[in-house]
Amino acid sequence: MTDFVFSPPVPPSVAVSGSKARLPVRRIFCVGRNYAAHAREMGRDPDREPPFFFTKPADAVVDDGAIIAYPPLTKNLHHEGELVVAIGQGGDNIAAEDALSHVWGYAIGNDLTRRDLQFAARELGRPWDWGKAFDNSAVCGPVHPCRQSGHIARGAIRTLVNGEIRQEADLSDMIWSVPEIIAILSTAVSLRPGDLIYTGTPAGVGPLVPGDRCTVEIQGLGTLTTTIAGQG
Ligand code: MN
């Protein structure tokens, strides 16, 4: 056994639907602009750009029902409701036709974003990390094992803030499907069990302020609720 100079942290993990066991998280990959209407609202042409990826730290995961503090440095925290894919079997250069056999399950995610920092970085040609990869930025609900609930290619996805609908689309609106995302991502990195892939958000992203209650719903996966702590 390795003799560490201090105790390693407990591995980050996410809940599993219908189980007390948790899914250990290895890495978090996120797809940028995977819905045409969202690409347009970000000022980009959805038709000419191949998918691109950014990452978040594994320990940025937050469970359903959490109350999180409004994050530092930002004045424009945004919600991004997304389908999350959990990888159960790793691989490199995975063929799209085989990609679903690498999936362990699906969850609802909220890719919390410090939009002002993301846009400032974008304009300066700097990395997105401070806009995307901050503490508590990867909200993730319970993973539904696909051996029980099958694979998901369509179904309504909605984000509500204090009960008001902000984002509404269908998973079939994704520019790049889950098998295509896994195939393309696995040409760039080795995927391993516990990798999470946030598959992109539909149009309608917008601000969260202290006291807000944000709920993301995906047909067949239930709901994911996050509360931004109030001031004082
Ligand atoms: Mn996103």
Side-chain angles (χ1 to χ4, degrees):
M1 226 167 96
T2 306
D3 186 19
F4 292 108
V5 297
F6 53 80
S7 298
V10 173
S13 63
V14 291
V16 171
S17 179
S19 173
K20 281 188 175 145
R22 293 178 65 85
L23 185 139
V25 177
R26 175 182 178 255
R27 293 191 195 173
I28 302 175
F29 301 97
C30 306
V31 183
R33 299 181 207 126
N34 200 24
Y35 291 78
H38 173 62
R40 281 186 216 104
E41 79 178 349
M42 292 289 109
R44 290 295 188 261
D45 179 351
D47 299 324
R48 286 186 295 171
E49 295 185 2
F52 68 94
F53 298 87
F54 58 91
T55 60
K56 290 177 184 259
D59 68 359
V61 287
V62 177
D63 282 330
D64 178 37
I67 300 170
I68 63 171
Y70 194 87
L73 300 185
T74 186
K75 292 186 167 57
N76 197 17
L77 175 69
H78 273 204
H79 55 79
E80 294 194 356
E82 311 199 359
L83 174 69
V84 177
V85 178
I87 297 295
Q89 188 196 322
D92 302 273
N93 300 308
I94 297 166
E97 305 78 61
D98 299 332
L100 293 181
S101 69
H102 293 258
V103 174
W104 196 89
Y106 299 90
I108 306 174
N110 195 343
D111 165 18
L112 294 178
T113 301
R114 296 192 285 205
R115 191 72 69 200
D116 43 358
L117 302 192
Q118 182 200 15
F119 280 175
R122 192 172 91 174
E123 276 155 33
L124 293 166
R126 289 179 181 167
W128 279 17
D129 301 47
W130 268 200
K132 286 290 194 179
F134 52 96
D135 294 340
N136 301 321
S137 61
V139 185
C140 188
V143 180
H144 294 244
C146 58
R147 68 171 185 277
Q148 287 166 19
S149 35
H151 292 282
I152 300 173
R154 58 189 54 77
I157 175 170
R158 302 201 304 173
T159 305
L160 301 89
V161 178
N162 304 323
E164 183 182 306
I165 297 173
R166 295 274 192 87
Q167 298 182 274
E168 187 163 33
D170 194 280
L171 296 174
S172 61
D173 297 335
M174 286 198 281
I175 298 170
W176 300 93
S177 68
V178 168
E180 289 171 329
I181 291 166
I182 292 170
I184 295 167
L185 180 57
S186 71
T187 66
V189 293
S190 287
L191 290 176
R192 292 288 177 263
D195 287 339
L196 302 182
I197 307 170
Y198 283 64
T199 58
T201 199
V205 299
L208 294 171
V209 299
D212 276 352
R213 181 179 165 86
C214 182
T215 299
V216 185
E217 308 174 347
I218 294 180
Q219 202 179 322
L221 297 179
T223 64
L224 169 67
T225 298
T226 308
T227 302
I228 310 300
Q231 280 158 332

